[in-house]
Amino acid sequence: MKEVSALMDYRPEVKVVDATLRDGGLVNDFLFPEDFAKALYEANLKAGVDYMEFGYKASKELFDVNKFGPCKFCDDDYIRSVVGENDTDLKIAVMADVGRCDYKTDIIKKADSPIDMIRVATYVNTMPAAIDVIEDSTNKGYETTCNIMALSAAQESDIKVALDLLGRSPVDVLYIVDSFGSLYPEQIARIADLFGNFASKYNKKLGIHAHNNQQLAFANTLEAVGDGVDFLDATYGGMGRGAGNCAMELLLGTLHNPKYKHYPVIKFLEEHIQPLKEKGVVWGYDLQYLLTGILNQHPRTAIQFTKDKRTDYAEFYKEITSQE
């Protein structure tokens, strides 16, 4: 039986990672209300969340700072304006997207930064570049993860090579990422087993980041917990790119570790997430995202469908399947 079947108990190794500012920022160009990040930080502290991901360390050469909010770039001074010296148990994370960050200059030594963890996002075919970011970040004193995106579109033989390369790197956590929201719990179990073999061999931890195209982000995260995955990504209200992510309120309502508190999450949803929706910020499960998830496609076409306020779902289905 899987460990998750012991629903009256908890596994103390499990860590909850809040990705609201980072994945949620993809919905609104990181243009959150002024008090949003501070309120989220305080909610995470009260809820017992283990890590808070502030956003990307995006290159200011590639991205116009005038078109995005501060969590696109995560300057250390900005993070300090929210968390101060963060003399708490909550750790701060940022994401370095391979090929889209100037990590050698923008990521400074951990001793001089409020950041604790660098999460490196990569595809299988850019693994050498990802390992360079990992090694640089490790040498600067950070915890590191490697988030392997679009796993559902990768060959298993290539994934094995990538995991072996990562195993021999100093990375701390290997992340399963269902970028297209196309995976089912049975597939997550097999992938977790594959990742687990390398994690055991090289003494690494495992994490999961799930998308909700088929309304399976929560189910897939629970499956991963039962398969020995420790680092669990979630967002408040499921806020995230396209169909969104595993919802924090679902996850903390299921994990029975007494350090996690549900009420601060519910309060933040009422006071900060619901107003975003009322102002017209759009994310979450919808038919167009289901279709790209079923077809194992990147959700970019569904995101554009949503932006265009289209409702001709049958025509969209024909477009993405090339059926007439």
Side-chain angles (χ1 to χ4, degrees), residues 62-279:
L62 296 177
F63 298 96
D64 187 345
V65 295
N66 296 312
K67 293 183 178 179
F68 299 95
C71 291
K72 177 74 171 179
F73 306 100
C74 286
D75 291 337
D76 286 35
D77 287 345
Y78 168 71
I79 295 176
R80 278 205 177 89
S81 74
V82 177
V83 308
E85 293 305 313
N86 187 35
D87 186 21
T88 75
D89 292 332
L90 175 64
K91 294 186 176 182
I92 305 302
V94 298
M95 180 163 280
D97 202 347
V98 168
R100 298 181 179 183
C101 62
D102 301 317
Y103 60 95
K104 291 188 177 179
T105 55
D106 289 347
I107 297 176
I108 63 174
K109 290 183 179 180
K110 167 67 187 78
D112 301 320
S113 172
I115 299 166
D116 299 288
M117 173 183 278
I118 306 296
R119 284 155 54 95
V120 181
T122 184
Y123 294 103
V124 167
N125 66 331
T126 53
M127 195 54 63
I131 290 173
D132 197 50
V133 182
I134 290 164
E135 290 176 343
D136 181 79
S137 299
T138 300
N139 289 338
K140 290 173 179 174
Y142 295 95
E143 298 176 42
T144 56
T145 78
C146 187
N147 297 37
I148 309 178
M149 300 182 290
L151 282 173
S152 60
Q155 296 292 323
E156 183 173 326
S157 58
D158 293 338
I159 296 172
K160 288 180 177 179
V161 172
L163 289 172
D164 194 59
L165 289 170
L166 281 172
R168 289 185 274 116
S169 82
V171 74
D172 297 300
V173 187
L174 309 175
Y175 252 86
I176 300 164
V177 183
D178 183 14
S179 300
F180 302 164
S182 63
L183 296 173
Y184 297 96
E186 295 86 350
Q187 292 171 293
I188 292 292
R190 291 198 295 271
I191 293 169
D193 183 63
L194 172 62
F195 272 58
N197 289 335
F198 287 90
S200 296
K201 179 179 179 181
Y202 291 108
N203 194 29
K204 309 295 185 184
K205 295 288 188 179
L206 297 180
I208 185 168
H209 180 87
H211 279 264
N212 205 38
N213 297 61
Q214 299 185 87
Q215 295 197 10
L216 289 172
F218 177 51
N220 284 340
T221 302
L222 285 188
E223 173 65 42
V225 176
D227 294 323
V229 174
D230 289 334
F231 283 71
L232 313 177
D233 283 17
T235 64
Y236 284 68
M239 186 181 186
R241 185 203 64 191
N245 306 100
C246 175
M248 183 68 76
E249 58 272 23
L250 285 170
L251 185 60
L252 291 195
T254 302
L255 300 174
H256 288 272
N257 189 328
K259 78 173 184 176
Y260 296 129
K261 309 299 181 185
H262 213 194
Y263 177 74
V265 178
I266 303 304
K267 194 166 187 290
F268 184 85
L269 291 171
E270 176 188 339
E271 296 179 352
H272 298 277
I273 294 294
Q274 192 58 35
L276 284 183
K277 290 186 173 183
E278 291 170 356
K279 291 177 181 177

Side-chain angles (χ1 to χ4, degrees), residues 45-64:
L45 285 175
K46 293 174 182 176
V49 169
D50 300 283
Y51 289 80
M52 178 176 174
E53 187 179 39
F54 257 75
Y56 288 96
K57 275 285 189 182
S59 169
K60 295 176 182 178
E61 293 291 324
L62 296 177
F63 298 96
D64 187 345

